Amino acid sequence: MSNHSNISDYSRYFTLRQKVYLVNMSEERNSDIYESLSGIVTSSGLNTIELSVTHGGHGAHNAEVGKATYKLTSEALGSGIQVLADLTGIVSDNVFKFKMHGTMEMFQRRSVSRVDLSVPFFHLRGNFPLAFFKKEWKRVMEHLRNDGVLPGLVLQETEINLSAGGIGIMVDPNNRPTPLAMFFVTLEKGLPVCALAETVWEKRVDERLQCGFRFIHILKTDQERINSFISDKIRMSGGTHLDYKRNWVLLDKMVADVRKPG
């Protein structure tokens, strides 16, 4: 259920320190890839907003100013909200300025189905910037497509919690997760899923650390593969599967786009 409102003052929906997810909606983006960032509101006006973007630094996004469009998704008045916004400037190393426009869409927030399972798995961590991880992800994907294998990559059977939106793992507290990481997950068929993710939470459980990660750079076909894989597991156990496409944070679309006649 979604509501649309054409408004002239977007600021009432965004308050200081509010968490916002940014989903790449630029015309020139690679439409095969879901790309997202995370930000915190530092200021907002009638149709402008400034966000401290978690992994924005080192001038990596300067070339996008005046060209990039993002969907900003958050929560307000007990509902999910999303609106398009053009990147108009980079105020400092990680503070981005946007101009919001068009319809503010409100929608019911929905969870994503998750399962605990044991699969062949590899976690590449390191204190590297997002630009480095994206370059490495592209190299890895080209190698996998061309050769089907990645030399030196050894996946080990590991207990994980998996959804189309992210992954949860247990780690040694002495080997804490880095802000960004690359994950390889083998499903039942085909090449391993390879995705970039950001650390979103940590919790101490006995002598170990339970960590949750959000996928921020992943092929849409791999989102679909994970979704289908989880759906099969849940239905085999008699449960009800919730399709990730009912969660607007995981889509580079607006509600109005989906409702347009084909």
Side-chain angles (χ1 to χ4, degrees):
M1 183 68 181
S2 301
N3 295 317
H4 306 256
S5 60
N6 290 300
I7 59 177
S8 56
D9 182 5
Y10 298 92
S11 64
R12 69 180 113 166
Y13 296 96
F14 296 96
T15 58
L16 290 180
R17 294 181 292 280
Q18 183 172 331
K19 183 72 173 283
V20 177
Y21 292 126
L22 302 82
V23 180
N24 192 355
M25 296 276 286
S26 305
E27 287 187 9
E28 297 180 358
R29 74 189 186 280
N30 184 339
S31 59
D32 294 329
I33 301 172
Y34 167 83
E35 291 184 272
S36 182
L37 295 167
S38 297
I40 300 293
V41 176
T42 58
S43 71
S44 64
L46 291 178
N47 64 350
T48 61
I49 190 169
E50 291 186 3
L51 301 172
S52 175
V53 177
T54 310
H55 310 294
H58 308 288
H61 298 269
N62 283 328
E64 298 179 9
V65 174
K67 299 178 182 179
T69 298
Y70 288 85
K71 178 177 75 170
L72 309 183
T73 74
S74 190
E75 187 169 338
L77 308 177
S79 298
I81 59 171
Q82 58 185 17
V83 65
L84 293 177
D86 297 330
L87 178 62
T88 58
I90 298 181
V91 180
S92 64
D93 195 38
N94 68 328
V95 176
F96 292 13
K97 186 172 184 177
F98 296 89
K99 182 177 180 180
M100 296 175 283
H101 57 87
T103 301
M104 170 71 73
E105 296 183 342
M106 304 189 74
F107 56 90
Q108 182 179 348
R109 305 265 312 175
R110 295 185 183 276
S111 58
V112 179
S113 290
R114 324 184 60 88
V115 292
D116 294 313
L117 68 163
S118 178
V119 292
F121 171 85
F122 184 77
H123 173 201
L124 176 65
R125 60 193 296 278
N127 285 304
F128 305 113
L130 180 58
F132 171 86
F133 271 108
K134 282 188 174 182
K135 184 177 180 180
E136 185 66 7
W137 180 88
K138 184 177 180 181
R139 185 189 69 82
V140 165
M141 296 305 293
E142 288 176 352
H143 204 106
L144 286 174
R145 277 193 294 264
N146 293 334
D147 300 335
V149 294
L150 198 65
L153 178 65
V154 179
L155 282 75
Q156 297 184 335
E157 198 74 16
T158 306
E159 295 286 339
I160 67 171
N161 179 272
L162 183 65
S163 77
I167 194 167
I169 58 173
M170 300 288 287
V171 301
D172 186 327
N174 296 318
N175 192 25
R176 300 179 70 88
T178 50
L180 295 170
M182 183 183 296
F183 291 99
F184 297 84
V185 181
T186 299
L187 305 179
E188 291 177 338
K189 298 177 183 178
L191 298 173
V193 168
C194 177
L196 302 184
E198 63 177 359
T199 305
V200 290
W201 57 266
E202 301 175 7
K203 182 174 68 173
R204 191 69 179 249
V205 179
D206 297 325
E207 300 302 314
R208 306 196 72 192
L209 197 64
Q210 186 177 16
C211 305
F213 303 83
R214 185 178 82 95
F215 293 143
I216 61 171
H217 198 89
I218 184 172
L219 285 176
K220 293 178 185 177
T221 52
D222 282 341
Q223 283 182 313
E224 292 275 9
R225 288 175 62 201
I226 294 173
N227 185 61
S228 297
F229 181 76
I230 290 174
S231 174
D232 291 344
K233 295 290 183 185
I234 291 175
R235 285 170 180 156
M236 285 174 60
S237 63
T240 301
H241 174 252
L242 301 174
D243 193 334
Y244 80 99
K245 289 184 178 179
R246 301 181 72 183
N247 186 317
W248 289 99
V249 176
L250 300 180
L251 301 178
D252 60 351
K253 291 180 173 65
M254 299 291 283
V255 176
D257 296 332
V258 174
R259 290 182 171 178
K260 287 177 182 176

